[in-house]
Amino acid sequence: MLLSTLTVRRSVLALAIAMAWQGQAAAQASEEPSPAAEPQSLDRVVIKARGRDETLQGVPISVKAFSAKAIDDAGIRRPADFFALTPNLTLVESESVGSSFITIRGLSQVRNGDAPVAVVVDGVPLNNPKQFNQELFDIQSIEVLRGPQGALYGRNASGGAILITTKAPTSELHGFGQLTLGNGQHRGLQASLSGPIVEDRLNFRLGVNVVDGKGMLDNQFLAQKADPYNSKTLRGDLSWDLSQAVKIDARLNAVRDKAGALGFVYQPTPVRADCSADTDVLFDETRMDPNRVVRRFCANNPGKSTREMDGLILKADVDLGFANLTGILSRDTLKEYFEGDEFPYTASRNIDFFGMPADGTQTQYLDVLNRSAELRLTSPTRPGLRWMAGAFALKSRRFISSGNGTDMGLGIVRLTRDPAFDSAINPTKSWLADDNRNTATALFGNIDYDLSRSVEASLALRYDRDHREQTVDYRQLSVGVPAGCAANKPAACVKEATYSATQPKLSLRYKQPDGSITYASWGRGFRSGLFNQSGVAALAAAAQPPVSGVRDAVPAEITDSFELGHKTQLMAGKLSLNAAIFDTTVRNAPYFVFIGAVGAQVMVGIDKVHLQGGELEAVATLAPGLETSAGLGYTKSRISAYEVDPAQVGHWAPYVPQLSANLGVQYRFALSPSMQLMLRSDVVFKGKQYWDPENSAARANLTLLNLRAALEDSKGRWALSAGVENATDKAYNSEWVSGGFAHPALPRKLRVDMRVNF
């Protein structure tokens, strides 16, 4: 058991001093090892974690980085793939095509809330969490930064940042095409073409990714698959060297997705053989178990979701001599809609569930427009003093509606901006909707100063201000309508709140003669607040017994985190070893909960959560072509204060596994002078976790096995690869919501790829 914060920090310091022993020579850059060569040192990985080019082993941050080659070798195609290989990072995929929930170092994302990490794609932050979970293709690098990164990357970076960089246009003609086949009638096509339009001036890159699958989970009642998935992505990039000092980039991205939705099993209600609800036992709490997995569905309405995303980025880089000036303008839109059966997700219609009709229909519609601008100055990377300063602004408009309907057996009426109370097909029985206009601004900067040849001190500082304005639809449930709000009184329907914070980060790095570093840092993180339904705070206070801690405007989350780390390379550069430990205090950790006394689902803040843990990661070249990697993450979470329910103090925080680990082995060797074979295996472990502050039930330890093999042309002209995810076909729930709502994960997944490069 971990001791007090003071004891931990003293122990950490002692550990760091003990680790800082004289290692062997630092790694040198090397070519990919050939089967006939001697064991080579690990590649020198260059990352942009602090906004400038630095080596992975030299930056004073806990980072997991994936190069383009590592992405291909590991078969990374979606965010869940690199999450599985990153300690202290988990991803829950659930509900709809755009729904996913991130947990990093104990900081978690909940429904209707922002992620605890900043996700930055080609220098531009994704401003809505529904944009994150999408296909990854033609990617140059992925960097996962753990620990507070708000000083550089802004609000919602309290747990870290994920930096994704797509491949840039090239001055020579290059391209590839890839075909994919898999189980579940999965088919895929990837293609990319890059080259010059005007030699030495204007280059382009065009990529397309198409995926189509029928699904692997059955809806028994409808005799069809419950999880179809179709995705189309088109990406274009123009790079214009206006002069030696000025470069302009324009990037366009369009995504169209169709998928299943609401793939839940409601455990407390038994289902008969004909898929109807057992009305004699509608609720049996003994059946609620996160480890009870059912892979068949019985809903009489198929779950469907669609998502449309379009984005445009304009970027200019100007070399001013004393600094580089970067300006970025972006505009993106997101529309997501999903529909499906209501709980208990059976073939029954409008059964009497504790005096209320249930098993109707449900819909949700989201329409988002984001426009952002950033301007920053970055000094040259040279010994002595290095600095960066900038400003950021974001204007966002978001409309969201949620509706429940009476199931007449005639299908579901699509609800977007208006309810259908009088529909003869699917009358709306409840409606929630609001239009949100948010304005966020920030000033930021950082200074890195070499106190000596071996010691660097860094200070980063950012001030964020987030103004939120919400207009409530007067037609929604009375509990959510502000006093006086009506069709002829729109001003009374508006709520406003402003959240702001200063996010400093201090770090100190000591670099030894062999290239090893030891670092210490302290940083503050800020996750902006949001609105609940109007009036829920008053209802909670008036309930018998009263419920404290429920607010119409949920406060912002503030984190303070201390970190100590060590990075070294041993065995003549063939072994890379990185370790970090952290101690984090979280105030107002967001949690989405149903409070019976209020009769509504609300967002509340868990007043105080204490997180302690760390990561240990190793990468080694054991022999020519033979590489192994291992990672271990540990997070101890403890609820220290919770006004809504003080009885939960001392419990684990929800959605936080205490242990996570991965072990990978990869071997590439020659079969002939013209062909080589790559074999790879990855074991992924996630420790037990609770899903609610009550710690009512835990999902048990989970171990998954992924395998890959690739037959490759030695000159890189073609490759034939095959992979299997969840090779042992482990049955588990990807999400389990308190009350017995289980979302089963996909079964074993097989993929075969044929790729041609030119």
Side-chain angles (χ1 to χ4, degrees):
M1 186 176 75
L2 291 178
L3 302 176
S4 67
T5 301
L6 182 60
T7 303
V8 168
R9 292 181 179 177
R10 288 174 177 170
S11 300
V12 168
L13 184 59
L15 175 62
I17 294 173
M19 292 173 63
W21 50 278
Q22 181 77 18
Q24 299 188 37
Q28 304 295 318
S30 66
E31 299 296 327
E32 182 177 303
S34 63
E38 292 297 321
Q40 300 290 305
S41 61
L42 296 166
D43 287 344
R44 183 175 180 268
V45 180
V46 177
I47 61 175
K48 287 186 174 290
R50 296 195 293 178
R52 62 177 76 243
D53 288 348
E54 297 179 276
T55 64
L56 173 64
Q57 292 303 110
V59 67
I61 300 174
S62 177
V63 182
K64 178 73 173 183
F66 301 87
S67 65
K69 183 61 176 173
I71 292 169
D72 287 342
D73 285 347
I76 294 173
R77 306 183 188 206
R78 291 181 61 82
D81 299 329
F82 70 82
F83 271 58
L85 304 178
T86 307
N88 274 338
L89 187 67
T90 60
L91 184 72
V92 171
E93 297 177 281
S94 179
E95 193 170 74
S96 70
V97 66
S99 295
S100 60
F101 312 113
I102 296 172
T103 298
I104 181 169
R105 281 188 170 182
L107 298 172
S108 298
Q109 176 185 353
V110 294
R111 279 175 174 76
N112 298 340
D114 291 322
V117 297
V119 180
V120 181
V121 180
D122 293 332
V124 176
L126 298 183
N127 294 302
N128 190 284
K130 293 278 191 175
Q131 297 171 297
F132 174 59
N133 200 23
Q134 58 179 289
E135 296 291 313
L136 298 172
F137 79 102
D138 221 15
I139 302 297
Q140 181 63 36
S141 66
I142 300 170
E143 300 173 26
V144 180
L145 283 54
R146 289 164 296 216
Q149 307 299 327
L152 288 180
Y153 296 105
R155 60 181 190 149
N156 305 334
S158 50
I162 298 174
L163 313 182
I164 300 174
T165 303
T166 61
K167 291 186 177 180
T170 58
S171 58
E172 297 181 358
L173 189 64
H174 293 288
F176 78 89
Q178 178 173 295
L179 293 174
T180 302
L181 295 175
N183 60 334
Q185 299 184 52
H186 178 95
R187 295 169 295 176
L189 169 67
Q190 282 188 24
S192 177
L193 183 65
S194 178
I197 298 176
V198 178
E199 189 174 356
D200 297 328
R201 287 287 185 180
L202 182 62
N203 301 321
F204 79 96
R205 192 175 196 97
L206 184 65
V208 62
N209 184 72
V210 179
V211 177
D212 183 65
K214 301 302 181 185
M216 293 187 287
L217 298 172
D218 292 317
N219 183 317
Q220 179 180 323
F221 182 76
L222 296 175
Q224 65 184 45
K225 296 297 181 182
D227 60 321
Y229 177 66
N230 179 278
S231 178
K232 300 181 179 70
T233 303
L234 178 65
R235 184 186 301 146
D237 191 348
L238 289 175
S239 179
W240 185 17
D241 291 331
L242 197 60
S243 68
Q244 286 189 343
V246 181
K247 181 179 180 180
I248 297 175
D249 283 284
R251 303 185 185 189
L252 177 67
N253 189 68
V255 179
R256 298 293 182 269
D257 293 326
K258 294 181 180 179
L262 298 166
F264 288 97
V265 173
Y266 185 63
Q267 294 178 333
T269 299
V271 180
R272 298 188 177 104
D274 64 354
C275 270
S276 64
D278 185 346
T279 53
D280 294 328
V281 191
L282 281 178
F283 184 81
D284 179 2
E285 65 180 8
T286 65
R287 296 169 55 87
M288 296 189 298
D289 182 359
N291 302 297
R292 183 173 179 268
V293 183
V294 176
R295 285 176 170 175
R296 72 171 184 130
F297 302 96
C298 280
N300 66 302
N301 293 292
K304 300 176 183 177
S305 64
T306 61
R307 181 175 59 172
E308 299 177 4
M309 297 187 291
D310 296 296
L312 174 64
I313 301 172
L314 298 176
K315 179 181 179 182
D317 285 293
V318 183
D319 187 352
L320 301 177
F322 74 96
N324 189 76
L325 176 65
T326 301
I328 302 176
L329 296 174
S330 75
R331 182 184 189 276
D332 62 78
T333 61
L334 162 69
K335 292 183 180 181
E336 188 195 54
Y337 171 81
F338 65 82
E339 64 179 34
D341 228 36
E342 195 179 15
F343 96 100
Y345 310 105
T346 69
S348 301
R349 292 192 289 113
N350 298 305
I351 57 179
D352 187 350
F353 206 92
F354 296 109
M356 297 179 62
D359 215 347
T361 64
Q362 57 180 309
T363 66
Q364 187 172 97
Y365 175 69
L366 179 68
D367 187 357
V368 181
L369 168 64
N370 296 310
R371 290 168 293 177
S372 69
E374 181 176 300
L375 194 65
R376 70 169 67 194
L377 276 171
T378 305
S379 72
T381 301
R382 58 170 65 117
L385 178 67
R386 297 168 295 282
W387 55 268
M388 183 269 291
F392 174 81
L394 166 69
K395 291 188 73 68
S396 177
R397 179 169 181 173
R398 186 197 70 164
F399 174 84
I400 184 170
S401 68
S402 301
N404 293 86
T406 301
D407 190 353
M408 310 291 288
L410 301 174
I412 300 176
V413 172
R414 180 185 173 96
L415 302 180
T416 55
R417 294 183 176 270
D418 297 291
F421 295 118
D422 299 325
S423 171
I425 297 173
N426 179 216
T428 303
K429 61 184 181 182
S430 70
W431 172 255
L432 297 171
D434 48 69
D435 201 349
N436 302 267
R437 295 173 183 267
N438 302 332
T439 301
T441 54
L443 296 173
F444 58 91
N446 79 289
I447 296 174
D448 303 325
Y449 183 67
D450 295 327
L451 298 175
S452 68
R453 299 182 68 177
S454 58
V455 180
E456 176 201 73
S458 298
L459 168 64
L461 188 67
R462 183 178 183 119
Y463 174 75
D464 278 275
R465 183 180 186 274
D466 190 5
H467 179 74
R468 301 201 168 200
E469 179 183 298
Q470 183 182 80
T471 302
V472 177
D473 190 331
Y474 67 91
R475 298 168 294 182
Q476 73 178 40
L477 295 174
S478 59
V479 68
V481 179
C485 174
N488 60 348
K489 295 183 179 179
C493 302
V494 177
K495 301 188 294 184
E496 293 186 72
T498 299
Y499 304 93
S500 62
T502 300
Q503 300 179 77
K505 184 171 184 178
L506 301 169
S507 63
L508 193 66
R509 180 187 70 181
Y510 172 66
K511 187 174 183 179
Q512 299 178 68
D514 67 350
S516 301
I517 69 165
T518 300
Y519 66 90
S521 68
W522 170 83
R524 173 162 292 172
F526 162 63
R527 187 160 28 161
S528 187
L530 41 80
F531 294 111
N532 273 318
Q533 293 174 264
S534 298
V536 295
L539 286 174
Q544 294 299 325
V547 179
S548 302
V550 180
R551 298 173 175 85
D552 288 352
V554 181
E557 176 192 76
I558 301 295
T559 64
D560 288 285
S561 186
F562 174 84
E563 179 177 333
L564 194 61
H566 184 78
K567 298 183 178 183
T568 189
Q569 289 191 321
L570 309 171
M571 298 168 54
K574 293 187 284 293
L575 170 63
S576 172
L577 183 64
N578 298 337
I581 59 175
F582 63 87
D583 185 290
T584 301
T585 300
V586 188
R587 294 173 177 83
N588 295 317
Y591 181 64
F592 194 59
V593 62
F594 178 82
I595 298 180
V598 180
Q601 290 180 320
V602 298
M603 188 80 75
V604 299
I606 301 177
D607 300 84
K608 189 175 181 180
V609 176
H610 192 201
L611 305 167
Q612 295 175 312
E615 300 92 29
L616 179 62
E617 296 175 286
V619 179
T621 298
L622 303 179
L626 178 61
E627 297 181 357
T628 184
S629 61
L632 175 66
Y634 175 79
T635 300
K636 180 185 179 181
S637 63
R638 182 183 183 276
I639 296 174
S640 301
Y642 188 28
E643 187 178 355
V644 171
D645 189 356
Q648 311 314 325
V649 170
H651 285 185
W652 291 20
Y655 284 77
V656 183
Q658 193 168 82
L659 284 173
S660 60
N662 64 280
L663 175 63
V665 179
Q666 180 175 299
Y667 186 34
R668 180 176 272 111
F669 58 95
L671 292 176
S672 72
S674 61
M675 283 193 300
Q676 57 188 15
L677 181 65
M678 187 273 287
L679 301 174
R680 180 186 177 100
S681 68
D682 286 285
V683 177
V684 178
F685 173 83
K686 300 296 181 185
K688 87 170 184 178
Q689 70 178 69
Y690 292 99
W691 303 93
D692 51 33
E694 293 77 17
N695 290 182
S696 57
R699 187 181 70 186
N701 295 340
L702 175 65
T703 303
L704 302 175
L705 174 65
N706 301 326
L707 303 171
R708 280 184 62 79
L711 184 64
E712 305 165 331
D713 172 63
S714 59
K715 295 184 178 180
R717 293 171 296 191
W718 59 265
L720 177 64
S721 61
V724 53
E725 297 179 26
N726 189 10
T728 61
D729 199 23
K730 172 71 174 179
Y732 66 99
N733 289 315
S734 60
E735 185 182 27
W736 189 83
V737 181
S738 179
F741 296 85
H743 191 284
L746 292 177
R748 180 190 295 117
K749 185 164 64 174
L750 307 171
R751 296 290 183 265
V752 177
D753 303 308
M754 181 63 202
R755 179 181 176 118
V756 177
N757 302 311
F758 58 89

